[in-house]
Amino acid sequence: MHISFGKICRGDGIAYIETIVHCSQQYAHARFLARSEDGVPLPIESYRYQKAGTYVLATPLLDTDKIIIESVVFDDKGNEIAKTEKSISRFMIKWLSRLNYRLDFKTVSALRDIDDYTYSDQIHIRLTTFVESYEKQQYIIKGFVCAPVNASGLSLSLLDNKGCKVDAADIVFGRTSSTVALGLKRTEIDFTLRLSKECISYCLVAAADNLSRSGFICFDQCSIDLFSDRYNPLFYRCTGPVAYERSVESRKRFSRGLKPNDFVRTGNTAFSVVVPLFHTPLRFLNEMIQSVEDQIYTNWELLLVNATPEDQSLCAALEALQDSRIKVITLEGNLGIADNTNIGIEAATGDYIALFDHDDVLDERVLYEYAKAIEANPQIDVLYCDEDFLTESGTYASPHFKSDLNIDLLRCHNYITHLLTVRSELAKNLKLRKEFDGAQDYDFVLRLAELTEQFHHVPDVLYHWRISDTSTAKDAGNKSYATLAGQKALQQHLNRLGIRATACETDKPCFYRVEYAVSGQPKVSIVIPNKDCAKVLTRCVDSIEKKTTYSNFNIYIVENNSTESSTFDCYERLMSEYPNIKLLKWEEEFNYSAINNFGVGQADGDYILFLNNDTEVIAGDWIDSMLSICQREDVGAVGAKLLYPDNTVQHAGVLMIACQSVNDVAGPIHVFNNIDADDPGYMRRAVLTQDVSVVTAACMMVEKRLFEELGGFDEYFAVAFNDVDFCLRVRDTNRLVVFTPDAKLYHYESISRGYDSSGNNMRRFIEEQGKLRTRWSKYYCSGDPYFGTASTSVFYVPSWCKI
């Protein structure tokens, strides 16, 4: 007896080997085993293929040099007849795979997919999420095990790059549900796997006690790259190095050969670009000046304020400048960044003053875009744009796609930064303040925000912030004094507005946290709809009562047609144990909006806190954190940070993604969904208090008076989108919807209701989505003002591509 190999290919880290068993005796079936050259057993599954005696073997490609395959054949009574083995190197598998894909793609593709389309006695592992956690040096992988409905003792095990079991594998199981695939009943179990980046490759194996076949999925560098691209959350994919490099190259091709006359003429706004110079390297000086001279929009003046007259090479370069629009102001000495800039501001003659750093570079279109915006809206007082980093090697990286005016985000850090351009009257009246050197621009922007809301954000990368050895862009720690100056500026801003709050430092330089004080002791009524789910409700209520530090609250449980006796026993126990609980009965059919409206109508609190029964309090000061913000006159609703039980993010605000065409669905999605609970997210926005368009009503606080003024939740939205619609109506009253990461809860999400994925649930979901699209079409057309490029496309599509 012997075996031979036919076609061989690989896919997603798994080798697929066509294997022919040659045996002189009649046999009933064959069994296959695999091991490494070190004798470590490896997972292997076999599938009958076309001709008798031909099988397709699937086994993971780990970091072993060889795979030794043993074949054993049995007669129809289960007696062993013969056995043999054959080895093949990992190198040979890779080489033959490449060759076979080129020579016979159709055949080897069928080999590669054979386990995907085998369901009888087969377990599958399907991925849904693949996120890299940079700070913890691990991958967060989510998916589900799909197995025959009769599978028992389902388990997951992780093998390292040598095929050895990882005993301390971080695997968390979630819910179990039933489904039907191709008419076959199947069981699905959600899982979360945290994979350390220390190892080169892994294999995740799913097995059942009563099934002969297992399922497995491999994580080598090739498959990790593929999964990261395929299953990574959609928001801000455009910031990745590869995607952004492609967009930069596209932009260069677009810009090549353009002439100012190619563009539509726009307005007569005059810009004064003010640049304080201090021992500026000549290469940086020349590139900075050239970027201004290259502007498509030509109505500008450049004011260069030289604070280093002793720098002879710099002075000589300035004297050699020929452009009449460039004005050099030479100081007797350095007065500090604020006063040096103020001299340029005083000398400016333009309608708007742009503050430009001496070693940075402008995109050729920035002043054109600013002038176009001002022509469309002459009331604009302040403009800024997206930006990226210009590295020492001359490449562009780490784009910052910004929010429109976002006062709560601004109170966390100066996200506006460049290219800050201000109406001249405002700039000359305010000026920069010397006592805030290092954070003079942050203090300036905060004072601007106190005087005007006419900020305009151009959602396009038009400013290149140079990274050099001493630049703040490279390391904010290079200017630690700037953090203290920024904290001082923020505290004075809060004091001027009469806001009782404290500006606090964080562990990240130049990022801050505002601790608002609660005024008085207003009553907070927590409204919790419930149907059965006694254990779920008990966990929720116990966590509120035992952990909450705020004392003046009560709880209204809105009972909705429960049928289990244990539920009513639970109500009795909770009310006897906690006197601040009241039970309300809603006897009509389930309608989330109507149930909550009913609960609010009975509640006596000054503030209403809507809460799902499948939540659990983590941080005891959650009510204080939400109430202190909700009490502000400019705020209409406040949402919390919600985590899945596996300590990944379920909710950190909701963004409205725009449709790219009339065929798109788009709409609301949760931001930073599935990243690690401690992951700061893009531009640290997962851990910063900020204004958003929508927060989930799974945990949302609203002043009762405002809720009633707005007519409560729209009862047309019986299940989905009621919170989205309500928050967008709040925003239409010029009030803010705020996300605070300081209020933390676990959210077990939809335990009592299930997913809207089939039958009547799906039909209802689509109907409600249709009304949301009709009512809030402006978001579907324009995207979310707070998330810039991420709200208009999952990949970066600059505005210049749409001219």
Side-chain angles (χ1 to χ4, degrees):
M1 172 191 172
H2 70 281
I3 57 175
S4 61
F5 297 145
K7 294 282 175 59
I8 294 175
C9 68
R10 61 177 179 156
D12 294 349
I14 298 174
Y16 297 90
I17 305 170
E18 183 184 12
T19 303
I20 303 96
V21 176
H22 306 273
C23 185
S24 58
Q25 297 174 266
Q26 194 75 17
Y27 69 93
H29 67 278
R31 189 179 69 180
F32 298 88
L33 301 172
R35 66 182 188 274
S36 70
E37 69 275 10
D38 296 325
V40 177
L42 301 174
I44 188 168
E45 297 303 336
S46 63
Y47 305 88
R48 291 187 182 274
Y49 185 66
Q50 295 179 345
K51 299 177 183 178
T54 303
Y55 298 82
V56 175
L57 307 184
T59 188
L61 273 174
L62 299 174
D63 293 330
T64 59
D65 291 331
K66 294 180 181 179
I67 299 174
I68 301 168
I69 296 174
E70 179 182 301
S71 174
V72 184
V73 297
F74 301 85
D75 61 22
D76 55 5
K77 294 181 180 180
N79 299 314
E80 181 181 317
I81 297 175
K83 70 167 65 173
T84 188
E85 64 180 42
K86 185 180 179 69
S87 66
I88 186 169
S89 70
R90 191 158 60 99
F91 171 80
M92 183 62 69
I93 291 173
K94 291 184 177 181
W95 186 86
L96 287 173
S97 176
R98 291 173 183 169
L99 179 64
N100 287 329
Y101 272 120
R102 290 187 178 184
L103 296 178
D104 192 354
F105 182 83
K106 183 177 180 180
T107 299
V108 295
S109 295
L111 297 181
R112 179 197 62 200
D113 298 335
I114 195 166
D115 50 348
D116 271 348
Y117 297 105
T118 301
Y119 279 83
S120 295
D121 298 324
Q122 177 69 56
I123 302 173
H124 296 112
I125 300 177
R126 309 297 194 195
L127 300 188
T128 58
T129 302
F130 195 100
V131 181
E132 185 171 359
S133 177
Y134 296 96
E135 295 192 357
K136 293 186 176 179
Q137 288 297 292
Q138 62 183 201
Y139 299 107
I140 299 173
I141 301 162
K142 295 191 178 188
F144 58 90
V145 177
C146 181
V149 71
N150 64 335
S152 62
L154 275 172
S155 64
L156 278 175
S157 58
L158 186 67
L159 307 181
D160 65 14
N161 60 323
K162 297 299 183 182
C164 299
K165 185 176 180 179
V166 179
D167 293 327
D170 191 350
I171 303 172
V172 177
F173 286 99
R175 79 182 70 219
T176 299
S177 56
S178 298
T179 187
V180 175
L182 302 177
L184 302 174
K185 291 182 179 180
R186 306 279 285 180
T187 296
E188 291 182 351
I189 303 178
D190 296 345
F191 71 86
T192 300
L193 167 67
R194 290 175 181 263
L195 207 60
S196 171
K197 296 172 70 175
E198 293 178 359
C199 193
I200 299 173
S201 58
Y202 295 91
C203 178
L204 183 65
V205 182
D209 293 339
N210 63 333
L211 297 180
S212 58
R213 280 204 186 106
S214 61
F216 46 83
I217 190 167
C218 294
F219 304 101
D220 60 8
Q221 192 54 59
C222 182
S223 61
I224 282 173
D225 291 343
L226 176 68
F227 296 150
S228 181
D229 180 62
R230 185 184 296 170
Y231 302 116
N232 210 24
L234 300 180
F235 4 95
Y236 294 114
R237 278 191 187 179
C238 44
T239 65
V242 175
Y244 190 61
E245 185 178 345
R246 284 199 298 262
S247 73
V248 169
E249 289 303 315
S250 296
R251 186 181 199 111
K252 288 179 180 178
R253 289 193 295 270
F254 172 82
S255 299
R256 196 173 295 128
L258 281 178
K259 300 176 183 177
N261 290 337
D262 294 333
F263 289 82
V264 177
R265 180 173 174 79
T266 179
N268 295 303
T269 302
F271 293 97
S272 295
V273 182
V274 175
V275 184
L277 306 176
F278 183 80
H279 290 300
T280 307
L282 294 188
R283 180 172 72 87
F284 294 171
L285 174 77
N286 292 332
E287 290 180 9
M288 178 270 294
I289 293 174
Q290 190 64 51
S291 75
V292 179
E293 291 184 320
D294 288 344
Q295 288 299 301
I296 289 165
Y297 187 82
T298 57
N299 192 5
W300 53 263
E301 63 175 356
L302 176 61
L303 298 130
L304 303 174
V305 183
N306 181 17
T308 49
E310 70 280 7
D311 190 330
Q312 296 181 3
S313 58
L314 177 61
C315 291
L318 295 174
E319 289 176 5
L321 296 173
Q322 300 295 316
D323 196 316
S324 61
R325 295 170 296 179
I326 301 177
K327 301 175 183 178
V328 178
I329 302 172
T330 303
L331 307 181
E332 294 182 359
N334 181 28
L335 304 176
I337 183 65
D339 284 348
N340 293 346
T341 305
N342 286 339
I343 289 174
I345 289 174
E346 282 292 341
T349 62
D351 303 307
Y352 287 79
I353 297 173
L355 303 182
F356 187 22
D357 291 349
H358 67 159
D359 54 354
D360 295 342
V361 175
L362 298 180
D363 183 272
E364 61 193 355
R365 299 182 58 255
V366 62
L367 295 184
Y368 172 80
E369 292 294 340
Y370 281 18
K372 189 168 69 172
I374 293 166
E375 183 182 33
N377 179 14
Q379 303 304 312
I380 292 174
D381 290 321
V382 183
L383 303 98
Y384 61 99
C385 61
D386 296 342
E387 59 191 272
D388 61 12
F389 286 158
L390 175 57
T391 68
E392 292 178 345
S393 63
T395 60
Y396 302 100
S398 302
H400 181 185
F401 300 121
K402 302 176 184 178
S403 167
D404 285 2
L405 180 61
N406 191 324
I407 191 63
D408 283 283
L409 184 60
L410 186 59
R411 289 173 184 164
C412 293
H413 76 119
N414 183 12
Y415 76 90
I416 287 177
T417 52
H418 308 116
L419 173 69
L420 181 62
T421 300
V422 183
R423 190 183 296 274
S424 288
E425 297 93 319
L426 269 175
K428 289 176 183 289
N429 287 335
L430 288 179
K431 295 193 180 67
L432 305 183
R433 299 198 291 183
K434 184 178 180 62
E435 61 266 38
F436 297 98
D437 271 356
Q440 72 286 338
D441 51 349
Y442 187 34
D443 170 67
F444 186 54
V445 170
L446 288 169
R447 288 186 291 131
L448 282 169
E450 296 164 26
L451 297 176
T452 179
E453 293 184 351
Q454 291 294 331
F455 280 63
H456 181 80
H457 164 222
V458 176
D460 203 347
V461 178
L462 302 173
Y463 190 97
H464 307 299
W465 192 358
R466 190 185 299 275
I467 301 176
S468 63
D469 288 336
T470 58
S471 70
T472 307
K474 188 168 187 177
D475 183 3
N478 286 336
K479 298 183 179 181
S480 59
Y481 69 92
T483 297
L484 296 176
Q487 183 182 8
K488 178 182 175 183
L490 178 57
Q491 187 63 61
Q492 289 195 12
H493 160 74
L494 296 169
N495 295 345
R496 285 191 298 269
L497 293 176
I499 298 174
R500 293 177 58 239
T502 303
C504 305
E505 287 186 67
T506 66
D507 57 357
K508 183 74 172 178
C510 298
F511 280 79
Y512 309 96
R513 176 175 173 269
V514 176
E515 291 184 356
Y516 294 93
V518 175
S519 298
Q521 279 282 306
K523 179 177 279 189
V524 176
S525 291
I526 304 174
V527 177
I528 307 176
N530 186 72
K531 179 178 181 180
D532 293 318
C533 299
K535 290 183 179 179
V536 172
L537 179 66
T538 298
R539 178 183 57 207
C540 174
V541 173
D542 282 346
S543 72
I544 296 171
E545 297 285 2
K546 293 176 181 179
K547 295 181 181 179
T548 303
T549 56
Y550 189 79
S551 59
N552 193 15
F553 72 90
N554 56 10
I555 298 175
Y556 291 86
I557 299 173
V558 187
E559 150 61 26
N560 175 217
N561 297 315
S562 295
T563 59
E564 300 171 3
S565 59
S566 60
T567 302
F568 296 95
D569 293 340
C570 169
Y571 294 153
E572 291 297 327
R573 184 192 71 79
L574 291 175
M575 287 189 291
S576 64
E577 188 171 346
Y578 306 118
N580 61 347
I581 294 179
K582 295 182 180 180
L583 182 66
L584 306 175
K585 291 188 177 180
W586 174 262
E587 297 180 346
E588 298 180 33
E589 65 180 11
F590 178 83
N591 180 309
Y592 179 88
S593 297
I595 290 171
N596 279 284
N597 290 344
F598 170 71
V600 172
Q602 305 297 312
D604 62 355
D606 304 294
Y607 291 84
I608 305 297
L609 205 168
F610 299 101
L611 190 66
N612 279 18
N613 62 351
D614 57 345
T615 55
E616 180 182 0
V617 174
I618 299 173
D621 60 351
W622 66 299
I623 289 183
D624 307 77
S625 300
M626 299 177 77
L627 181 58
S628 63
I629 296 173
C630 203
Q631 284 185 305
R632 285 169 30 197
E633 292 183 0
D634 59 338
V635 173
V638 180
K641 185 170 186 176
L642 304 180
L643 306 179
Y644 290 117
D646 61 8
N647 284 309
T648 59
V649 173
Q650 188 264 336
H651 172 265
V654 176
L655 76 87
M656 300 291 291
I657 290 185
C659 296
Q660 293 299 295
S661 74
V662 293
N663 297 318
D664 283 355
V665 176
I669 62 170
H670 283 220
V671 189
F672 305 124
N673 187 238
N674 290 313
I675 69 171
D676 186 75
D678 298 326
D679 192 326
Y682 177 71
M683 294 304 297
R684 302 190 66 79
R685 290 193 64 174
V687 296
L688 300 178
T689 298
Q690 63 203 268
D691 306 325
V692 293
S693 292
V694 176
V695 292
T696 177
C699 182
M700 179 178 75
M701 183 179 287
V702 184
E703 187 179 6
K704 183 180 180 182
R705 175 186 55 81
L706 174 61
F707 187 79
E708 292 175 337
E709 282 180 8
L710 293 176
F713 291 118
D714 186 335
E715 296 181 10
Y716 176 88
F717 297 103
V719 178
F721 306 120
N722 31 61
D723 45 6
V724 176
D725 172 74
F726 179 79
C727 287
L728 296 181
R729 284 190 282 131
V730 167
R731 282 181 37 76
D732 264 8
T733 67
N734 291 320
R735 290 179 176 87
L736 301 174
V737 175
V738 183
F739 158 72
T740 174
D742 298 325
K744 291 182 182 177
L745 298 90
Y746 284 117
H747 186 199
Y748 297 87
E749 195 179 26
S750 300
I751 284 177
S752 59
R753 181 170 57 86
Y755 294 115
D756 292 308
S757 58
S758 62
N760 290 334
N761 285 354
M762 178 177 287
R763 184 178 66 185
R764 180 187 59 212
F765 181 87
I766 292 173
E767 287 174 353
E768 293 177 359
Q769 185 184 63
K771 180 161 185 176
L772 190 77
R773 287 167 63 94
T774 301
R775 178 176 290 177
W776 300 107
S777 57
K778 63 182 179 182
Y779 288 94
Y780 286 85
C781 293
S782 303
D784 195 306
Y786 294 124
F787 287 94
T789 295
S791 71
T792 54
S793 177
V794 295
F795 292 102
Y796 179 43
V797 182
S799 61
W800 46 266
C801 287
K802 303 173 186 176
I803 293 179

